[in-house]
Amino acid sequence: MAPLRPVIEMTNVTKYFGEFKALDDVTLSVDRGERVVICGPSGSGKSTLIRCLNRLEAHDSGRIVVDGIELGDETANIRAVRQDVGMVFQQFNLFPHLTVLDNLMLGPMRVRGMDRAAAEALARQYLDRVHIPEQADKLPSRLSGGQQQRVAIARALCMEPAIMLFDEPTSALDPEMIREVLDVMAELAQTGMTMICVTHEMGFARKVADRMVFMAAGKIVEIAPPARFFTAPASRRARAFLDQILEH
């Protein structure tokens, strides 16, 4: 049998914002079912990298292939990839005038063409998955930050993506709410879903990641399994980062 191709392939990807090179010749592949945590100092290109994976940012050179579809300017390809890739942001981005249930049902009905009954059943299934089924009829403003982020995760899951991207999903939360969101993400990781997560939560990374990707100045400096990355990072830059972040 031929070896399976990675579900994500980035090859020599470069991205500029004006004169600033946000991604500098980045090459990364992710296998189906793999859980990758990206870390690094602020401004290192972590969020730009995952935003390029669903074309929220257009890369300037190199190739990005997601589940066999190359991402370029073709609208059909972009739409196909976005249907297959869920994303959870720092901010929750919930529609404030819609109930939690309606927020979750919107995508399946409008994008996937589900009828209302099927979309509601799916939404309730994923509210159960993130442990807040009792919040279905509330407006987002009635929920805590941690609950709103769990709704955002459930909303992404309602599109039944093959890949989930998380862009610092706990950075906007109060400390006491971080654990509830990380616990949901850890449970999701156990289901075998392909996950790429940008986070500074190193305890979560140790527990969940198959590989750590360390970035600095737009480059991937180091890729290693968590056991090696946290105990014996190969690069001086990664050692300095860990010394700083693990002090807190």
PDB file of all heavy atoms in Angstrom, residues 214-226:
ATOM      1  N   PHE A 214       7.814  24.969  17.465  1.00  0.00           N
ATOM      2  CA  PHE A 214       8.242  26.241  18.052  1.00  0.00           C
ATOM      3  C   PHE A 214       8.614  27.210  16.934  1.00  0.00           C
ATOM      4  O   PHE A 214       9.410  26.879  16.057  1.00  0.00           O
ATOM      5  CB  PHE A 214       9.434  26.042  18.983  1.00  0.00           C
ATOM      6  CG  PHE A 214       9.981  27.329  19.525  1.00  0.00           C
ATOM      7  CD1 PHE A 214       9.289  28.055  20.479  1.00  0.00           C
ATOM      8  CD2 PHE A 214      11.190  27.835  19.055  1.00  0.00           C
ATOM      9  CE1 PHE A 214       9.780  29.262  20.968  1.00  0.00           C
ATOM     10  CE2 PHE A 214      11.695  29.034  19.538  1.00  0.00           C
ATOM     11  CZ  PHE A 214      10.983  29.745  20.495  1.00  0.00           C
ATOM     12  N   MET A 215       8.024  28.410  16.964  1.00  0.00           N
ATOM     13  CA  MET A 215       8.272  29.429  15.950  1.00  0.00           C
ATOM     14  C   MET A 215       8.907  30.669  16.563  1.00  0.00           C
ATOM     15  O   MET A 215       8.639  31.018  17.724  1.00  0.00           O
ATOM     16  CB  MET A 215       6.957  29.833  15.261  1.00  0.00           C
ATOM     17  CG  MET A 215       6.310  28.725  14.472  1.00  0.00           C
ATOM     18  SD  MET A 215       4.883  29.308  13.503  1.00  0.00           S
ATOM     19  CE  MET A 215       5.706  30.346  12.261  1.00  0.00           C
ATOM     20  N   ALA A 216       9.706  31.339  15.773  1.00  0.00           N
ATOM     21  CA  ALA A 216      10.278  32.631  16.145  1.00  0.00           C
ATOM     22  C   ALA A 216      10.599  33.390  14.864  1.00  0.00           C
ATOM     23  O   ALA A 216      11.101  32.796  13.898  1.00  0.00           O
ATOM     24  CB  ALA A 216      11.539  32.458  16.989  1.00  0.00           C
ATOM     25  N   ALA A 217      10.264  34.674  14.842  1.00  0.00           N
ATOM     26  CA  ALA A 217      10.573  35.548  13.710  1.00  0.00           C
ATOM     27  C   ALA A 217      10.078  34.984  12.383  1.00  0.00           C
ATOM     28  O   ALA A 217      10.760  35.059  11.358  1.00  0.00           O
ATOM     29  CB  ALA A 217      12.072  35.827  13.646  1.00  0.00           C
ATOM     30  N   GLY A 218       8.880  34.379  12.387  1.00  0.00           N
ATOM     31  CA  GLY A 218       8.278  33.896  11.158  1.00  0.00           C
ATOM     32  C   GLY A 218       8.782  32.559  10.667  1.00  0.00           C
ATOM     33  O   GLY A 218       8.332  32.066   9.630  1.00  0.00           O
ATOM     34  N   LYS A 219       9.711  31.943  11.406  1.00  0.00           N
ATOM     35  CA  LYS A 219      10.279  30.669  10.998  1.00  0.00           C
ATOM     36  C   LYS A 219       9.903  29.562  11.983  1.00  0.00           C
ATOM     37  O   LYS A 219       9.692  29.833  13.169  1.00  0.00           O
ATOM     38  CB  LYS A 219      11.813  30.747  10.939  1.00  0.00           C
ATOM     39  CG  LYS A 219      12.376  31.615   9.820  1.00  0.00           C
ATOM     40  CD  LYS A 219      13.894  31.614   9.881  1.00  0.00           C
ATOM     41  CE  LYS A 219      14.521  32.365   8.717  1.00  0.00           C
ATOM     42  NZ  LYS A 219      14.361  31.652   7.436  1.00  0.00           N
ATOM     43  N   ILE A 220       9.840  28.347  11.488  1.00  0.00           N
ATOM     44  CA  ILE A 220       9.779  27.189  12.378  1.00  0.00           C
ATOM     45  C   ILE A 220      11.202  26.865  12.802  1.00  0.00           C
ATOM     46  O   ILE A 220      12.048  26.513  11.974  1.00  0.00           O
ATOM     47  CB  ILE A 220       9.114  25.987  11.694  1.00  0.00           C
ATOM     48  CG1 ILE A 220       7.623  26.274  11.463  1.00  0.00           C
ATOM     49  CG2 ILE A 220       9.288  24.727  12.543  1.00  0.00           C
ATOM     50  CD1 ILE A 220       6.876  25.161  10.751  1.00  0.00           C
ATOM     51  N   VAL A 221      11.462  27.024  14.090  1.00  0.00           N
ATOM     52  CA  VAL A 221      12.812  26.823  14.616  1.00  0.00           C
ATOM     53  C   VAL A 221      13.026  25.377  15.035  1.00  0.00           C
ATOM     54  O   VAL A 221      14.122  24.825  14.879  1.00  0.00           O
ATOM     55  CB  VAL A 221      13.051  27.769  15.823  1.00  0.00           C
ATOM     56  CG1 VAL A 221      14.413  27.519  16.449  1.00  0.00           C
ATOM     57  CG2 VAL A 221      12.906  29.228  15.393  1.00  0.00           C
ATOM     58  N   GLU A 222      11.958  24.754  15.552  1.00  0.00           N
ATOM     59  CA  GLU A 222      12.120  23.411  16.106  1.00  0.00           C
ATOM     60  C   GLU A 222      10.787  22.669  16.065  1.00  0.00           C
ATOM     61  O   GLU A 222       9.737  23.246  16.332  1.00  0.00           O
ATOM     62  CB  GLU A 222      12.627  23.523  17.547  1.00  0.00           C
ATOM     63  CG  GLU A 222      12.951  22.204  18.199  1.00  0.00           C
ATOM     64  CD  GLU A 222      13.733  22.371  19.508  1.00  0.00           C
ATOM     65  OE1 GLU A 222      14.237  23.480  19.773  1.00  0.00           O
ATOM     66  OE2 GLU A 222      13.825  21.383  20.247  1.00  0.00           O
ATOM     67  N   ILE A 223      10.849  21.389  15.753  1.00  0.00           N
ATOM     68  CA  ILE A 223       9.691  20.488  15.834  1.00  0.00           C
ATOM     69  C   ILE A 223      10.156  19.265  16.614  1.00  0.00           C
ATOM     70  O   ILE A 223      11.170  18.661  16.290  1.00  0.00           O
ATOM     71  CB  ILE A 223       9.190  20.067  14.441  1.00  0.00           C
ATOM     72  CG1 ILE A 223       8.766  21.292  13.616  1.00  0.00           C
ATOM     73  CG2 ILE A 223       8.025  19.092  14.567  1.00  0.00           C
ATOM     74  CD1 ILE A 223       8.338  20.960  12.189  1.00  0.00           C
ATOM     75  N   ALA A 224       9.389  18.920  17.666  1.00  0.00           N
ATOM     76  CA  ALA A 224       9.804  17.806  18.513  1.00  0.00           C
ATOM     77  C   ALA A 224       8.615  17.245  19.266  1.00  0.00           C
ATOM     78  O   ALA A 224       7.624  17.951  19.496  1.00  0.00           O
ATOM     79  CB  ALA A 224      10.878  18.267  19.503  1.00  0.00           C
ATOM     80  N   PRO A 225       8.682  15.984  19.692  1.00  0.00           N
ATOM     81  CA  PRO A 225       7.651  15.467  20.589  1.00  0.00           C
ATOM     82  C   PRO A 225       7.709  16.214  21.914  1.00  0.00           C
ATOM     83  O   PRO A 225       8.783  16.708  22.313  1.00  0.00           O
ATOM     84  CB  PRO A 225       8.043  13.992  20.783  1.00  0.00           C
ATOM     85  CG  PRO A 225       9.207  13.736  19.927  1.00  0.00           C
ATOM     86  CD  PRO A 225       9.728  15.009  19.394  1.00  0.00           C
ATOM     87  N   PRO A 226       6.580  16.330  22.617  1.00  0.00           N
ATOM     88  CA  PRO A 226       6.567  17.103  23.869  1.00  0.00           C
ATOM     89  C   PRO A 226       7.619  16.648  24.879  1.00  0.00           C
ATOM     90  O   PRO A 226       8.257  17.494  25.529  1.00  0.00           O
ATOM     91  CB  PRO A 226       5.150  16.882  24.411  1.00  0.00           C
ATOM     92  CG  PRO A 226       4.331  16.553  23.225  1.00  0.00           C
ATOM     93  CD  PRO A 226       5.233  15.825  22.278  1.00  0.00           C
TER      94      PRO A 226
END
